[in-house]
Amino acid sequence: MHFKLAFIGFGTVGQGLTEILLEKKDMLEKKYNFSWSIVAISDIIKGSVYDESGLDMKKILDIAKSGKKLDDYPSGIKGMDSISTIKDTNADTIVEVTYTDVKTGEPAITHIKAALNVGKNVISTNKGPVVKQALELLKLAESKNAKYNFEGVVLAGTPALNLANYTLAGNNISGFKGILNGTTNYILTRMEEGMSYEDALKKAQELGYAEADPTGDVEGLDALGKVVILTNVVIGKKITWTDVERKGITEITIDDINKAKSEGKRWKLIGSAKVQSDGSVKAKVWPEKIPLDDPLAGVGEATNALTFFTDELGPVTIIGPGAGRRETGFSLLIDLLNINRKLSG
Amino acid sequence: MHFKLAFIGFGTVGQGLTEILLEKKDMLEKKYNFSWSIVAISDIIKGSVYDESGLDMKKILDIAKSGKKLDDYPSGIKGMDSISTIKDTNADTIVEVTYTDVKTGEPAITHIKAALNVGKNVISTNKGPVVKQALELLKLAESKNAKYNFEGVVLAGTPALNLANYTLAGNNISGFKGILNGTTNYILTRMEEGMSYEDALKKAQELGYAEADPTGDVEGLDALGKVVILTNVVIGKKITWTDVERKGITEITIDDINKAKSEGKRWKLIGSAKVQSDGSVKAKVWPEKIPLDDPLAGVGEATNALTFFTDELGPVTIIGPGAGRRETGFSLLIDLLNINRKLSG
């Protein structure tokens, strides 16, 4: 079927998706009967543009990459804000990729609710809304006969959520453990090679993995958000930010690394949750020494990995990228193809 | 929706699926709107029984497990052969789990064609038909508006085919490499611990992993069939049995194992295929020394693993069980839930 998309936010992830859609246009039509036009974009810095018959996205990408404003686009309606772009355009599906505070979930939550309330589908890579309100937003979507998909909020385009919720359907998933943060895994990989924590962090910052203030990564906050998401969305138990025990990697020394090595183990920052016998969930982000015969031990560099504990199959693990402009943009295509599949029957 | 199933063959895999269906009846109805009855069973040894209103499967399991014949079932029509069970019952979906020769694909191919030709869905764990005629059978299914699903033919219930074909949709998959045979991986794991090849094989036979004649496993023939399947079904290139280079694990010595260890590597029997620049495929089953920072290196015991090489995400790996009565039975539930999802829209 044909999708009319509106982008709320047009940073690297939105541009990544756009590149994929342009390059794979023919393949997507032929193989999945999926076609698209992008009718509107609203970005807090770049401005906004709307053309109900579809924008020329090659031109839009040129404008965005040259740092110009969308007002430079030669036609279309300019100046619509994000809410009117969601509600007052002919878009049927909203791509919510604004810069959003992971703690408050705003402005993404407001955008997502506005879209679902008028029955429009939402796809989004923003973690904040899923951490804070996953179950409420999914319920709202269902009541409005719309879809809210967010494959990219854990492991970027590596389809961990779809694996759990569709491909492993029929299993009871009672827990998970994973390497959910690429930056800390990169740092630990360098330390395995003998680099100090400080040098490894500096290198991660040079490569753009870690931000100038690395707290969110190295103290385990990013991984914590993903543990909350997975517990809510995969295990189906409602927990919040404060229900997760947390310790980062800042206290791990080269001595610790070497000691683990001599025991045939490797330090990894593990995010995990497990349903207890009383039905409650024990969730944590904690550095753990993983034996070499655990698949997670072999996951190096910035790669992510996630093991689900299932009743029918035992542990099932998926390993893939956890970040990246194109990889995260791709997660939105997974979301679109899922909606397409459901609506096509 | 409601499925009316007929089992052609009723060995361990069919019984495994039956147990899962019985235990999870309520959950499957509530969570996936999936309900079932089993109206017919035809087994070359156990005989056959048909009741259009559904069989009491607890009674059937008791009969099967006590080694009795299905004639002992207190009601229903007895004596129908496999083809009339497929064609002349009110079943809408055929569970093809006969004992089938992997080389000829028979009698499964005959059963599958008979079902598809009358527009009935087929789910099957038999490798032979997929090795020999995957693309033809899928085309036949499509032309008859029926489904032919076979998740269990590689990695048992670990959803490798669904991961590749649905969850990773939108990627171009240009190759794969994997640990596709659990028996050889079990033997290599024991050899890593210092056991000789002969003792490890004996232990695998004691545990039921390896057959009395272990040739199919240790010479790489089982893995070869899976390479053919994955190349045809995931990469979409038609190859056959003779297009795959093959070497088994019988020549690997403890010396080889130790030498690899000293290089930070592990021997694994790897099945792989890769699209070449001229569009042809290079496929092989060959023992390879895998470095410890490759996720496949950490896969021990009888576990299976498969890495897909994708254009958007790079390598994506799935790890899980590759055999087992219940695990393989579960692959058929994955197939059923997929058909249910497609037909429910």
Side-chain angles (χ1 to χ4, degrees), chain A residues 24 27 32 157 159 162 166-167 169-171 293 295 298 311-313 316-319 321 326 330 337 341-342 345, chain B residues 20 24 27 32 157 159 162 166-167 169-171 293 295 298 311-313 316-319 321 326 330 337 341-342 345:
Chain A
K24 297 200 159 173
M27 183 273 261
Y32 307 109
N162 273 284
Y166 294 98
T167 323
N171 278 289
D293 58 2
D311 61 340
E312 297 294 349
L313 301 172
V316 175
T317 302
I318 186 164
I319 302 170
R326 184 100 178 185
F330 180 74
L337 290 175
R341 208 177 287 137
K342 273 176 209 158
Chain B
I20 296 170
K24 296 201 159 173
M27 184 272 262
Y32 307 109
N162 273 283
Y166 295 99
T167 323
N171 279 289
D293 58 2
D311 60 341
E312 298 293 348
L313 301 172
V316 174
T317 303
I318 186 165
I319 303 170
R326 183 100 179 185
F330 181 73
L337 290 175
R341 209 177 288 137
K342 273 177 209 159

Side-chain angles (χ1 to χ4, degrees), chain B residues 81-192:
Chain B
D81 66 14
S82 57
I83 294 295
S84 62
T85 300
I86 291 166
K87 289 163 73 170
D88 306 329
T89 65
N90 66 338
D92 49 48
T93 300
I94 305 301
V95 186
E96 212 294 335
V97 283
T98 56
Y99 180 78
T100 281
D101 180 3
V102 72
K103 281 270 187 178
T104 66
E106 291 296 354
I109 289 178
T110 300
H111 295 152
I112 293 166
K113 283 186 177 165
L116 296 175
N117 270 318
V118 293
K120 298 191 177 191
N121 304 313
V122 177
I123 61 174
S124 177
T125 55
N126 263 319
K127 291 174 190 64
V130 194
V131 172
K132 276 196 79 87
Q133 297 197 18
L135 303 180
E136 296 85 338
L137 291 171
L138 287 169
K139 206 174 280 179
L140 175 62
E142 205 181 351
S143 76
K144 299 292 181 177
N145 206 17
K147 308 286 177 197
Y148 170 39
N149 284 4
F150 42 79
E151 178 59 69
V153 299
V154 291
L155 274 70
T158 306
L161 294 180
N162 273 283
L163 178 70
N165 288 336
Y166 295 99
T167 323
L168 289 173
N171 279 289
N172 179 22
I173 297 178
S174 60
F176 63 84
K177 67 171 184 180
I179 296 168
L180 303 174
N181 177 272
T183 309
T184 46
N185 206 51
Y186 176 85
I187 292 172
L188 292 172
T189 304
R190 291 291 82 77
M191 288 175 76
E192 290 259 336

Side-chain angles (χ1 to χ4, degrees), chain B residues 17 38 52-53 69-70 73 85 87 89 96-97 136 150 157-158 169 171 184 196 221 228 268 302 304 333:
Chain B
L17 172 62
I38 296 168
E52 60 172 23
S53 63
K69 300 240 171 189
L70 294 172
Y73 188 78
T85 300
K87 289 163 73 170
T89 65
E96 212 294 335
V97 283
E136 296 85 338
F150 42 79
T158 306
N171 279 289
T184 46
S196 70
L221 294 161
V228 172
K268 296 288 177 192
N304 282 200
L333 180 59

Side-chain angles (χ1 to χ4, degrees), chain B residues 13-315:
Chain B
V13 172
Q15 292 175 36
L17 172 62
T18 303
E19 287 168 15
I20 296 170
L21 289 174
L22 284 170
E23 289 169 28
K24 296 201 159 173
K25 196 173 176 66
D26 292 346
M27 184 272 262
L28 293 170
E29 282 193 32
K30 230 183 279 180
K31 202 163 171 188
Y32 307 109
N33 194 24
F34 168 87
S35 66
W36 57 271
S37 50
I38 296 168
V39 295
I41 300 172
S42 178
D43 183 279
I44 197 161
I45 295 164
K46 300 181 184 75
S48 81
V49 57
Y50 169 46
D51 183 336
E52 60 172 23
S53 63
L55 299 162
D56 179 340
M57 290 306 291
K58 276 178 203 152
K59 267 188 202 149
I60 295 278
L61 278 181
D62 285 344
I63 291 171
K65 283 176 181 167
S66 67
K68 291 185 199 155
K69 300 240 171 189
L70 294 172
D71 294 290
D72 288 350
Y73 188 78
S75 60
I77 299 164
K78 312 285 158 62
M80 291 172 81
D81 66 14
S82 57
I83 294 295
S84 62
T85 300
I86 291 166
K87 289 163 73 170
D88 306 329
T89 65
N90 66 338
D92 49 48
T93 300
I94 305 301
V95 186
E96 212 294 335
V97 283
T98 56
Y99 180 78
T100 281
D101 180 3
V102 72
K103 281 270 187 178
T104 66
E106 291 296 354
I109 289 178
T110 300
H111 295 152
I112 293 166
K113 283 186 177 165
L116 296 175
N117 270 318
V118 293
K120 298 191 177 191
N121 304 313
V122 177
I123 61 174
S124 177
T125 55
N126 263 319
K127 291 174 190 64
V130 194
V131 172
K132 276 196 79 87
Q133 297 197 18
L135 303 180
E136 296 85 338
L137 291 171
L138 287 169
K139 206 174 280 179
L140 175 62
E142 205 181 351
S143 76
K144 299 292 181 177
N145 206 17
K147 308 286 177 197
Y148 170 39
N149 284 4
F150 42 79
E151 178 59 69
V153 299
V154 291
L155 274 70
T158 306
L161 294 180
N162 273 283
L163 178 70
N165 288 336
Y166 295 99
T167 323
L168 289 173
N171 279 289
N172 179 22
I173 297 178
S174 60
F176 63 84
K177 67 171 184 180
I179 296 168
L180 303 174
N181 177 272
T183 309
T184 46
N185 206 51
Y186 176 85
I187 292 172
L188 292 172
T189 304
R190 291 291 82 77
M191 288 175 76
E192 290 259 336
E193 297 166 357
M195 206 180 267
S196 70
Y197 171 79
E198 290 73 19
D199 286 350
L201 171 60
K202 214 173 135 192
K203 191 134 193 202
Q205 286 168 323
E206 282 167 18
L207 287 165
Y209 292 148
E211 294 177 56
D213 174 3
T215 313
D217 289 323
V218 299
E219 294 293 359
L221 294 161
D222 173 68
L224 189 156
K226 292 165 182 171
V227 167
V228 172
I229 290 172
L230 288 163
T231 305
N232 288 345
V233 175
V234 173
I235 301 189
K237 298 267 181 189
K238 173 90 188 163
I239 64 167
T240 63
W241 202 264
T242 50
D243 297 322
V244 185
E245 284 185 76
R246 176 179 57 85
K247 185 178 177 177
I249 64 162
T250 53
E251 289 170 22
I252 296 179
T253 64
I254 289 285
D255 267 5
D256 296 326
I257 299 267
N258 289 336
K259 209 177 286 174
K261 227 186 246 180
S262 71
E263 299 165 9
K265 291 179 179 169
R266 279 178 177 160
W267 283 100
K268 296 288 177 192
L269 184 63
I270 299 293
S272 67
K274 200 170 169 36
V275 178
Q276 307 296 298
S277 52
D278 65 356
S280 68
V281 175
K282 196 177 158 79
K284 62 180 180 174
V285 173
W286 215 262
E288 291 183 25
K289 284 189 282 185
I290 303 291
L292 288 183
D293 58 2
D294 186 312
L296 298 189
V299 177
E301 306 299 331
T303 305
N304 282 200
L306 189 51
T307 301
F308 296 109
F309 297 100
T310 75
D311 60 341
E312 298 293 348
L313 301 172

